Amino acid sequence: MVSPHNPRIFSLIAFLSLSAAFPARAEGPAWPWGTRMKAEASNESPAHTSVVVDLTAIPSGPPQSLPVPPAPKKEEEPVDFEADRFEHDDQNEVITASGGVHMVQAGRTLEADKVVYNLKTDTVMAYGHVVLTEANGDVHRAEEVQLENEFKNGVVKDLHSVLADGSRFAAVEGVRTDGKKTAMEDASYTPCDLCKNHPDRPPVWQIRASEVTHDEESRSVSYRNARFETYGIPVLYTPYFSHPDGTIKRKSGFLAPSAGYKSRLGGFARSSYYWDIAPDKDATFGVQAMTKENPLALGQWRQRWDAASLSLDGGVTYSARTDRIGGEDVRRDDELRGHVLADGLWDMTDQWRSGLNIEWATDEQYMRQYDITDRDILENEVYAERFSGRNYAVGRLLAFRDVRLREEREDQPGVLPEIIASFKGDPNSIPVLGGRWGVDASFLGLQRDGNDQDMNRMGLAANWYRRFISDYGLVGQADARVRADAYNTRDRSGVLAAGQSDSSTETRLFQNIHLQGSYPVAREFETMQARIEPVVALTAVPNINVNKDIPNEDSQDVQVDAGNIFEPNRFPGLDRLEDQSRLTYGLRTGLYGYGGSRGEAFLGQSRRFSEDDNPFPAGSGLDRQESDVVGQLSGIYRDQYSLDYRFQLASDTLASQRHEIDAQGRWNALTLSTRYLFAKALDGTAIDESREQMRVGAAYYLTPKWRMRLGGTQDLGTSPGLRKAHAGLDHYGQCVFWSLSGERNLTDESSGESDVEITFRIGLKNLSGFEESKAR
């Protein structure tokens, strides 16, 4: 099996690449690593002459380093060399160093009891307690090392290595050939620590193989007869296994498989093959087999060019699905089903960019049934955009598909096209007035199938904006706008009232002036700063008659909150305009700790000068002369506790209209989180009833290695009940991680979400999926 991942678990094979650490020999009687020695006569027979340096003759102190000659012509790193005794056999051309041999070069250190260098055969032998320490901290030990042919070939006996990350590697013998390929016999690897009290016991897991080969040309590590062992017990076997050696990021081969169980799919297993086609392109092909459904074939293609990229994903199967008909779930016969996802980007010039996003499925249930995506609306887009200084323009074509399974679904219009252009002047570019100008232009075309409403809209807007700070600390801003729109609407038969035309062309002109001021006041304390800031805004707008022939396509979901109450127009989109003048007022305050903790509060409201002709729908919080009161409380304390609470209260009775709470707290080993929502219905939208829901989650570290997880979502609205529940148990070992999780979705079957899912994940350190404990 081959993996495109990049584990560095066998980088220690460099132990056999000593030619990189200790280069080829020098000429003449010099020590082969470039360290010259002083010659003395020996007491050997005349036929045997040797060169001896006896470091025991030094009066006192530790062994001294011999002098290092100038750098050789090949610009090799100098070698610091120490030994108790040196011998040079001129007749046999053999140099021997013995007694505490210690060599250092380029951050690497080689130690041995004895080193013998044969100049004739260009062979180096190291004996006894051989230790090579790499610059990165890896330590390799052996009893015997043999190197020859300028150290391109070599043999190592009884290899034991400990990598810098604590991983361990062992081999009975290793052979290096041509300086490019290393083969090891009876090898094993584990990242697990050995038991301190019983180091002879097998580790938690290890990989053993009869032969391990590292090919530097193909940049791969391969195994023959590989066995995965747990506590010394073989549990998996493969005749062949391979992965990259860590020097490359991609390589063709099989990816790690995955498996699990879902009540609607049954047990499933997925296997994929990764194809590294070229440096600029790759592909992945896979199959997911299931016990209750037919197999699902999956594929992905990715390619990059100098200024562009493209990614294509797809799947196909032949299976059944469930539809909702007449309020009941009806199961269809097997049929061809599938999906296509695409994402492309092209940087055409320094200022122009284009792209596409495609999301397509054969039916509404497919995406959720096979866990492709949980999105409710699939979006397809082709666009081109231009950037020029502060100016921006974009043109796009859009198509949408609602994949929520309902008996009656509103037809999603196609956007054919949408064009937006925005031009901004430089700051203080306007004489006398100061500030800066802006011009925005847009065109929108909506097309629906059949006789449903179609629309074209063209708009042009200009504005002037200036922000200023007075000498007394008053912060102000002024914004003046004028906008003109033209609408052409067709096929309006489905939304017509009596006497209205099937098509119409309408225009309108709108202008407003928005003035806002605030006066922030701050006071410093020993551990924090306190701040209070009253804010007031006046929006001057004429009273306009709402033309019912102008459709409302993009201004339906309107809701007042702390984030938009001071906006000049509280309607989203452009189809609806907020007319008539009003006054908006509020108060911001907060405490800001110098250590990062903070607490903030906001309270605000607005009042229209006239109570007539209110354009907002009921439930928006803006449908009365006085808006609902909106506020927000938020804070963070020591990065352990966080709260964000947003609320909306009725202006007349202060009755609850909306509450949103996000909170999280961490106490030592326990973490709690919750999200709560209560919101009243909003007229004119699909939100036709009040909603109330709470989601809670908890995680507790029983020990630093064991974590328990619980959570659920409860509907508290008109149809209360549990909607989702999950539980899990995680184990964080020193070299192994595993997680057992169970989840139950309680929705109708036709949505593709009603399901029970049980998953088991395992991660092995330095291989894949490993996670570390975050317990404190």
Side-chain angles (χ1 to χ4, degrees):
M1 192 177 345
V2 183
S3 169
H5 299 296
N6 309 299
R8 58 181 295 275
I9 61 176
F10 290 107
S11 63
L12 51 88
I13 301 172
F15 180 67
L16 294 175
S17 306
L18 291 178
S19 58
F22 306 106
R25 60 186 178 89
E27 297 297 329
W31 186 253
W33 294 283
T35 302
R36 298 187 178 273
M37 299 166 290
K38 181 179 178 180
E40 296 182 355
S42 72
N43 294 323
E44 302 291 338
S45 62
H48 182 86
T49 304
S50 63
V51 175
V52 179
V53 177
D54 190 352
L55 297 182
T56 59
I58 298 176
S60 61
Q64 302 296 311
S65 298
L66 292 174
V68 179
K73 295 180 181 179
K74 294 183 180 180
E75 297 184 357
E76 299 163 347
E77 291 283 347
V79 178
D80 290 334
F81 195 96
E82 295 181 357
D84 293 338
R85 183 178 181 85
F86 294 89
E87 295 181 358
H88 183 202
D89 185 342
D90 287 335
Q91 181 177 353
N92 296 316
E93 297 188 46
V94 174
I95 300 175
T96 304
S98 59
V101 181
H102 185 93
M103 293 183 291
V104 179
Q105 184 187 44
R108 292 185 176 94
T109 302
L110 176 65
E111 299 174 87
D113 292 341
K114 182 179 179 181
V115 174
V116 178
Y117 183 65
N118 190 314
L119 279 72
K120 288 183 178 180
T121 61
D122 192 20
T123 302
V124 173
M125 297 291 299
Y127 303 95
H129 304 96
V130 182
V131 179
L132 173 65
T133 303
E134 299 281 358
N136 64 358
D138 295 349
V139 179
H140 314 294
R141 303 176 185 274
E143 283 303 313
E144 182 179 316
V145 174
Q146 176 182 331
L147 300 170
E148 58 186 19
N149 189 20
E150 295 183 348
F151 302 160
K152 293 180 181 179
N153 301 335
V155 178
V156 59
K157 301 285 188 179
D158 194 16
L159 173 65
H160 294 271
S161 300
V162 179
L163 304 187
D165 66 351
S167 302
R168 300 170 186 275
F169 179 80
V172 173
E173 181 178 276
V175 178
R176 183 169 178 81
T177 306
D178 297 329
K180 297 178 181 179
K181 182 178 292 187
T182 303
M184 288 165 285
E185 296 182 1
D186 195 9
S188 65
Y189 163 79
T190 179
C192 304
D193 291 339
L194 300 180
C195 178
K196 295 181 179 179
N197 297 327
H198 303 280
D200 55 333
R201 289 182 178 176
V204 175
W205 69 266
Q206 64 179 342
I207 298 176
R208 299 185 65 90
S210 60
E211 181 180 331
V212 177
T213 302
H214 177 211
D215 191 330
E216 294 182 13
E217 285 189 330
S218 64
R219 299 182 179 183
S220 64
V221 179
S222 59
Y223 307 80
R224 299 286 182 183
N225 300 316
R227 307 181 302 279
F228 180 85
E229 298 182 354
T230 300
Y231 295 105
I233 301 174
V235 294
L236 291 174
Y237 168 82
T238 178
Y240 180 79
F241 175 78
S242 177
H243 63 77
D245 64 0
T247 62
I248 55 175
K249 295 183 178 181
R250 310 187 313 175
K251 187 172 178 63
S252 299
F254 284 98
L255 301 176
S258 60
Y261 173 83
K262 298 190 69 174
S263 59
R264 301 190 71 247
L265 300 178
F268 67 88
R270 178 182 294 185
S271 180
S272 302
Y273 182 83
Y274 175 79
W275 181 18
D276 181 18
I277 304 172
D280 62 336
K281 63 177 72 72
D282 59 22
T284 304
F285 307 97
V287 175
Q288 177 173 306
M290 296 152 283
T291 58
K292 292 185 178 181
E293 297 289 353
N294 292 327
L296 171 67
L298 297 165
Q300 181 189 66
W301 173 281
R302 300 186 304 177
Q303 184 164 359
R304 291 187 64 91
W305 294 269
D306 290 341
S309 63
L310 178 64
S311 175
L312 297 173
D313 290 81
V316 62
T317 186
Y318 190 78
S319 64
R321 61 187 176 93
T322 303
D323 281 345
R324 173 61 65 90
I325 300 177
E328 297 182 356
D329 292 335
V330 178
R331 187 170 179 83
R332 301 283 189 179
D333 293 334
D334 286 355
E335 60 184 5
L336 191 66
R337 306 169 68 197
H339 76 280
V340 174
L341 304 176
D343 185 5
L345 184 65
W346 178 23
D347 293 322
M348 297 179 288
T349 68
D350 292 340
Q351 294 182 319
W352 282 95
R353 180 173 70 179
S354 61
L356 60 85
N357 296 288
I358 304 298
E359 297 176 340
W360 177 86
T362 53
D363 57 81
E364 289 79 7
Q365 188 184 357
Y366 170 88
M367 290 293 206
R368 286 189 178 87
Q369 181 178 352
Y370 292 101
D371 288 331
I372 306 300
T373 178
D374 59 357
R375 298 185 61 177
D376 293 331
I377 305 294
L378 301 183
E379 179 177 325
N380 298 273
E381 177 185 19
V382 179
Y383 65 91
E385 53 190 350
R386 174 182 169 85
F387 304 85
S388 178
R390 293 181 171 85
N391 305 323
Y392 173 75
V394 61
R396 57 170 63 97
L397 304 176
L398 292 155
F400 303 94
R401 183 179 183 182
D402 188 347
V403 293
R404 293 171 293 184
L405 287 183
R406 302 175 178 177
E407 292 188 41
E408 296 183 3
R409 286 192 303 273
E410 183 177 351
D411 184 29
Q412 298 293 322
V415 180
L416 305 170
E418 181 184 33
I419 301 173
I420 298 173
S422 178
F423 307 92
K424 301 294 183 184
D426 295 331
N428 299 316
S429 59
I430 301 178
V432 183
L433 293 177
R436 69 180 182 187
W437 58 268
V439 174
D440 298 299
S442 65
F443 177 84
L444 176 66
L446 299 182
Q447 307 291 325
R448 290 182 171 89
D449 295 335
N451 295 324
D452 292 333
Q453 177 176 278
D454 301 329
M455 182 197 77
N456 291 332
R457 181 187 69 202
M458 182 180 297
L460 181 65
N463 79 292
W464 166 77
Y465 175 84
R466 181 182 177 184
R467 186 173 185 270
F468 58 87
I469 301 176
S470 73
D471 295 338
Y472 301 100
L474 178 67
V475 179
Q477 59 184 27
D479 190 352
R481 296 173 178 266
V482 59
R483 178 175 182 84
D485 296 303
Y487 285 82
N488 177 258
T489 310
R490 305 170 304 282
D491 295 334
R492 303 176 62 238
S493 57
V495 296
L496 286 178
Q500 288 184 300
S501 173
D502 185 66
S503 62
S504 67
T505 299
E506 302 292 337
T507 61
R508 71 182 178 193
L509 182 67
F510 181 78
Q511 58 277 338
N512 69 358
I513 297 176
H514 182 76
L515 304 174
Q516 180 174 318
S518 64
Y519 193 74
V521 179
R523 181 176 179 180
E524 305 290 339
F525 293 92
E526 183 178 352
T527 60
M528 61 182 174
Q529 181 192 77
R531 188 184 310 168
I532 185 169
E533 181 181 9
V535 186
V536 178
L538 173 65
T539 307
V541 189
N543 186 13
I544 63 174
N545 294 323
V546 177
N547 191 335
K548 295 183 179 180
D549 288 332
I550 295 179
N552 183 7
E553 295 281 2
D554 64 2
S555 300
Q556 298 179 14
D557 189 10
V558 55
Q559 193 84 51
V560 66
D561 58 31
N564 67 4
I565 192 169
F566 278 95
E567 289 294 319
N569 181 24
R570 271 86 65 94
F571 275 108
L574 300 176
D575 288 338
R576 289 294 177 263
L577 299 171
E578 184 176 2
D579 63 347
Q580 299 193 12
S581 300
R582 67 183 183 273
L583 185 69
T584 308
Y585 39 88
L587 180 69
R588 295 190 182 97
T589 185
L591 299 174
Y592 304 90
Y594 302 137
S597 300
R598 61 176 175 83
E600 297 175 308
F602 171 80
L603 193 68
Q605 189 182 30
S606 68
R607 178 183 175 86
R608 294 165 59 90
F609 292 160
S610 174
E611 62 180 350
D612 299 329
D613 299 328
N614 192 306
F616 290 101
S620 64
L622 296 166
D623 52 309
R624 298 186 179 90
Q625 184 176 7
E626 290 183 343
S627 75
D628 287 348
V629 178
V630 296
Q632 181 175 7
L633 298 173
S634 62
I636 296 176
Y637 181 67
R638 294 184 177 178
D639 292 329
Q640 289 184 294
Y641 312 98
S642 64
L643 171 68
D644 186 10
Y645 170 44
R646 300 167 298 280
F647 60 87
Q648 175 186 336
L649 307 177
S651 59
D652 51 352
T653 63
L654 296 183
S656 296
Q657 302 298 305
R658 191 176 77 254
H659 296 279
E660 298 177 59
I661 300 175
D662 287 284
Q664 180 172 318
R666 185 173 64 250
W667 297 267
N668 296 324
L670 176 64
T671 299
L672 296 176
S673 64
T674 184
R675 173 170 291 182
Y676 172 81
L677 169 67
F678 168 78
K680 290 291 189 67
L682 179 60
D683 286 357
T685 70
I687 308 173
D688 54 3
E689 61 181 24
S690 297
R691 297 158 294 159
E692 188 174 9
Q693 190 175 85
M694 175 178 285
R695 185 173 68 190
V696 296
Y700 181 70
Y701 281 93
L702 304 170
T703 71
K705 293 185 177 182
W706 291 92
R707 184 179 71 164
M708 181 176 62
R709 295 174 283 111
L710 295 170
T713 300
Q714 178 77 16
D715 191 340
L716 305 173
T718 56
S719 301
L722 186 66
R723 294 292 176 261
K724 181 183 291 187
H726 65 86
L729 182 65
D730 305 322
H731 173 66
Y732 300 90
Q734 182 269 325
C735 61
V736 62
F737 162 81
W738 62 259
S739 174
L740 178 64
S741 301
E743 183 175 297
R744 171 66 164 143
N745 289 310
L746 300 166
T747 56
D748 60 274
E749 183 180 359
S750 61
S751 70
E753 293 181 343
S754 180
D755 204 358
V756 174
E757 182 174 356
I758 299 175
T759 58
F760 179 77
R761 296 187 300 118
I762 187 168
L764 303 178
K765 185 178 180 180
N766 293 344
L767 289 183
S768 64
F770 181 72
E771 296 182 18
E772 295 183 347
S773 174
K774 297 180 181 179
R776 294 188 175 184

